[in-house]
Each structure stands twice: as C-alpha cells, then as structure tokens.
Amino acid sequence: MALRLILIGCLVGLLSSSELWAQRCVSQERLAAYLQQHPDAEAARADLENFIQLQQAVQTRSTIDIPVVFHVVWNTAEENISDEQILSQLEVLNRDFRRTNNSAGLIPSLFQSLAADMELNFCLARRSPDGASTNGILRRQTSFPFMGDRIANGRKSVCYTAEGGSDAWDTGRYVNVWVARRQFFPAEASFPGMGAAAEDGIIISPPFVGTTGSAASNQPYHLGRTLTHELGHYFNLYHLWGPGQTGSCTQSDEVADTPLQSRSYLGECPTHPQISCGSADMFMNFMNYTDDACMAMFSNGQKNRVWAAIAAARPGLMLAAQACSPVSVVQAPQQEALFELLQNPTGESLLLRTMAPAGQRFHWQLVSMWGAPLRQGTLLIHAGLQSVDVSGLSAGMYVLRIGGEGVLWSGKVVIE
Ligand SMILES: [Zn+2]
C-alpha cells in the first residue's frame, strides 16, 4: 500500500514537471473554465463581443497613459526583482505598444501595413489611489514558495494581503501586475469581465519580467514579451490560433486581419513564410507563443478590438492618466474646488458648478458604488452651470468621475 502511494506521488510529480512551460500562458483556459461556471459572465462577455464586432475601423485618437502598479510578492531573495528589472519591462511595453520595438524590422512586407501603433503608453504609478506619492512598486515577503499559483479559500492568494499577498489598487484605474513565482505556467491575465475585481490584472513569474536581472538568463523568454502578450489578453485579445492549445483552421481569434493558423509556434523562431490554413501565418504577432526575440507586432484589427474593449469594459483607464503624474504637479485643494456638484438633480441631468475656464475639455464617467461604469461622455466647459445627463437612472447612489486637463475629480451622487 505504501509503495503504491509513493508511485502515485512520483507519477503526479512527473506530470507536473512535464507541464512546465508547455505553454506560455494559461489565460484562455482560465477564461473558459470561469465562463463554464458563471453563465451570467458568459452572457456579459457575449454582449461585449457583439459591441466589439460592431465597432468601425480605427479612428484618429489621442494616446492614453495607463498607470501600472507592480506587487512583488517574494519568497526567496531572487524573486524580489529589482526596480531596474521592472523599469526594463516598462520600456519593452512602451516600445511594443507604440510600434517602436526593434523587432519591428522582422515584420515581413506582407504584414507591414497591418502593424499597429496601439497608442497606449504605460507608466509606473506615481500616485496611489488615495493620492499619496509612490514609485508604483509594492513589495512584500511571503512564506509560500509558489505564491503566483496559490489558491486558498477559492481565491488567488497573491491578490489579497490577508492571504499573504498584496491587495489590488482600484482595478478600474490601475493595471495591477503581481510578480510572484509560479510552478506551472509563466503567467496569466484576466480578460475583461472575468473573475473578482480584486483579482483583476496579471500574475507573472519573476524571471519573465523585463530584460535584466533574473530575466537575462531566462532565454528564450528574456525580452519582456510575456507581459506584452498578457496585456493583450487583459485588453481582450485571443491567441491567433483561437481557443485550445493548437489551431484547427476553423476557430479564429475574432480579428479579421490576422490569418487563421494551425499552431501556436511554441518554442519556435521561424522564417517567413510559414503556411497553414491556406495562407501565410502572422507568427511574429505578440499573441502567439513564438520566442520573445521573434515577436514583433499587433495588427490594426487587434487595435480596434483593444480600444473597443477599453471603451466598453475598462473605461476607467481612459481617465486614469493623472496617476502617472507626480503628486506635486497638481495641488489637491485646486482639484477639490474645481467642480462642485449641486444636489437635487432635476431627474434628467446633474448640474455642476466649475472654476475651470471655458473651452477646457474633460471626460466624465458615472459609475455605480461598486465601480461598474454606467455612462460616460465629454464635458466641454462653457459659461454658466454644466450638466451631465442622468435621465433614466434608478434611484440610488453613484459616483461621478471627471478627468482631463491634468486633474481627476470625483463626487458622490444621490438620485432620488
Ligand atoms: Zn496567452
């Protein structure tokens, strides 16, 4: 009996280690499992997909700055990666998402006109949710050796201070990245509408972050592209080969300008052309499993999909840029005085008094008390009182956020 137990133990051990890095990420599998257990979330994701498919081609828009907070939850000193390693990751993201990556030279002429500047910039947060100064990097030691995979009480431990991890910062306004050692897959990301808000973000194993420190010897995943790929999932992009671990030529990534392909290119750095499903594969796309050095582009179709997903499912990030600026730039008292909410709305609109000069332009967003976005629009300041349309909303408490012109203001709204 004892012998049998030992044999089973060995078998499990072997299976576990053979899974190691058998795929670069596990985000899509996590999404599929989550939707199977949560039919409501599946319906909401279907609505989001419909919205995205109805969006028109990319229009001219201004780049947005998105604040990122890194939670380094470490067990051994080696896992406690340096600020420098994290900064090297930011640099990679800002090159890859702005099409200024050196590897863009690898894009074959067939795909060059499809390569997108995603117009997203990422910064390390310079101010915390409560307005305090920060460098955007939180550190905490944990007693668990594989904190990045740990599940306890049905929750991802790394996302909760009470479970030995680190609580998320407002996931509507910050991209949360937890850096913690993982046993099975290097990384996973939350798709929009997936899982608890407190766990919304990306979990990544330390040597997959950036290009220096422990990343330098982690070839072929030493160039920071794991997080580029995971952010793609976070913004609702699928693998180019579709669901599952290999493609079938019948299932797609829901993006029109990325050709169907039959494999993931895991562990490969191929030369163009690679033909599958009747056409040349865009194997150098960031949403493949290709080696870091051989990834080079997002497509225009993926850009459309990402921006539609931000507008529909992560709109707070469009208003979050202020967290990229050091605290000293904007004086808090000025922000507080900038808008004043006049109570007793007419039932159709909220009225605001402002000291902002006429002609300034702000974004506004009305969210539920739980942070769910309900409405948004643009506020172009004119003389007199400003109004925000709230017609048709049921009685209750809401939060109005106004951002732009270097400020972020919020106020509580009661509709009776
Ligand atoms: Zn992936």
Side-chain angles (χ1 to χ4, degrees):
M1 192 60 181
L3 181 63
R4 177 179 287 179
L5 283 175
I6 290 166
L7 284 173
I8 290 170
C10 288
L11 185 60
V12 170
L14 282 172
L15 283 174
S16 300
S17 60
S18 69
E19 273 186 326
L20 204 63
W21 319 147
Q23 54 192 78
R24 291 199 63 169
C25 87
V26 71
S27 303
Q28 289 191 190
E29 287 82 356
R30 293 275 189 268
L31 176 66
Y34 181 80
L35 296 181
Q36 205 162 26
Q37 292 163 5
H38 299 84
D40 290 354
E42 185 159 29
R45 293 256 329 149
D47 285 347
L48 174 62
E49 190 63 42
N50 287 336
F51 174 84
I52 288 170
Q53 296 301 334
L54 289 170
Q55 296 306 296
Q56 300 302 308
V58 175
Q59 295 158 5
T60 305
R61 48 171 71 85
S62 56
T63 301
I64 55 173
D65 296 325
I66 297 178
V68 183
V69 55
F70 282 80
H71 308 257
V72 181
V73 183
W74 57 281
N75 177 248
T76 65
E78 192 190 7
E79 295 165 24
N80 189 16
I81 61 173
S82 66
D83 289 2
E84 183 192 10
Q85 190 170 342
I86 290 171
L87 286 166
S88 74
Q89 178 67 70
L90 261 289
E91 194 171 318
V92 171
L93 295 180
N94 285 326
R95 287 183 173 279
D96 288 351
F97 279 82
R98 297 306 313 277
R99 209 184 57 188
T100 56
N101 50 307
N102 292 333
S103 62
L106 300 175
I107 303 169
S109 56
L110 176 65
F111 298 134
Q112 277 171 10
S113 65
L114 300 178
D117 169 1
M118 301 293 273
E119 297 189 85
L120 301 178
N121 287 321
F122 298 92
C123 75
L124 275 175
R126 299 298 304 275
R127 55 180 81 190
S128 68
D130 58 10
S133 186
T134 176
N135 69 351
I137 303 172
L138 309 179
R139 298 179 182 279
R140 184 165 185 214
Q141 188 171 13
T142 180
S143 57
F144 299 108
F146 290 104
M147 193 59 172
D149 296 302
R150 188 170 189 271
I151 302 283
N153 304 316
R155 308 195 298 182
K156 296 176 182 175
S157 300
V158 73
C159 305
Y160 299 94
T161 302
E163 303 279 359
S166 177
D167 285 342
W169 283 5
D170 182 352
T171 50
R173 290 163 53 204
Y174 296 84
V175 176
N176 283 261
V177 178
W178 287 273
V179 179
R181 190 174 170 211
R182 293 169 59 87
Q183 189 166 15
F184 298 115
F185 306 102
E188 64 182 81
S190 312
F191 279 80
M194 170 186 166
E199 299 177 1
D200 188 43
I202 292 138
I203 308 174
I204 184 168
S205 213
F208 292 81
V209 177
T211 61
T212 61
S214 60
S217 57
N218 190 30
Q219 294 183 16
Y221 306 121
H222 60 306
L223 297 177
R225 295 258 154 73
T226 301
L227 194 56
T228 300
H229 175 106
E230 294 306 322
L231 276 167
H233 289 315
Y234 174 87
F235 292 120
N236 212 32
L237 295 183
Y238 294 120
H239 296 142
L240 260 66
W241 64 93
Q245 293 188 29
T246 53
S248 64
C249 298
T250 57
Q251 291 179 298
S252 88
D253 60 355
E254 311 296 342
V255 173
D257 64 4
T258 55
L260 289 175
Q261 65 180 57
S262 67
R263 67 181 205 268
S264 70
Y265 291 98
L266 178 69
E268 295 187 56
C269 182
T271 51
H272 174 78
Q274 296 289 318
I275 307 293
S276 77
C277 309
S279 59
D281 292 352
M282 194 186 281
F283 59 80
M284 72 298 306
N285 192 286
F286 293 125
M287 297 315 291
N288 278 317
Y289 279 169
T290 318
D291 291 351
D292 274 12
C294 310
M295 290 180 157
M297 65 178 282
F298 290 112
S299 75
N300 289 323
Q302 288 174 318
K303 179 180 183 178
N304 282 338
R305 185 173 175 83
V306 162
W307 275 82
I310 292 172
R314 299 196 182 281
L317 296 179
M318 300 174 88
L319 304 175
Q322 195 194 4
C324 290
S325 306
V327 169
S328 58
V329 170
V330 177
Q331 300 297 319
Q334 287 178 5
Q335 283 184 67
E336 284 166 16
L338 195 61
F339 291 96
E340 182 190 354
L341 193 57
L342 304 181
Q343 290 302 325
N344 301 320
T346 62
E348 297 295 316
S349 57
L350 285 175
L351 295 178
L352 292 162
R353 187 179 285 140
T354 182
M355 293 172 63
Q360 283 199 343
R361 189 180 291 272
F362 297 86
H363 301 286
W364 64 267
Q365 185 185 40
L366 195 69
V367 303
S368 73
M369 289 303 288
W370 298 275
L374 301 170
R375 288 203 189 161
Q376 59 190 318
T378 301
L379 194 62
L380 180 60
I381 301 302
H382 53 79
L385 296 177
Q386 321 298 311
S387 74
V388 167
D389 177 23
V390 293
S391 55
L393 285 172
S394 50
M397 275 204 285
Y398 302 86
V399 175
L400 179 66
R401 293 177 183 159
I402 300 176
E405 307 284 356
V407 300
L408 181 64
W409 176 92
S410 65
K412 195 182 287 183
V413 175
V414 179
I415 296 179
E416 295 174 330

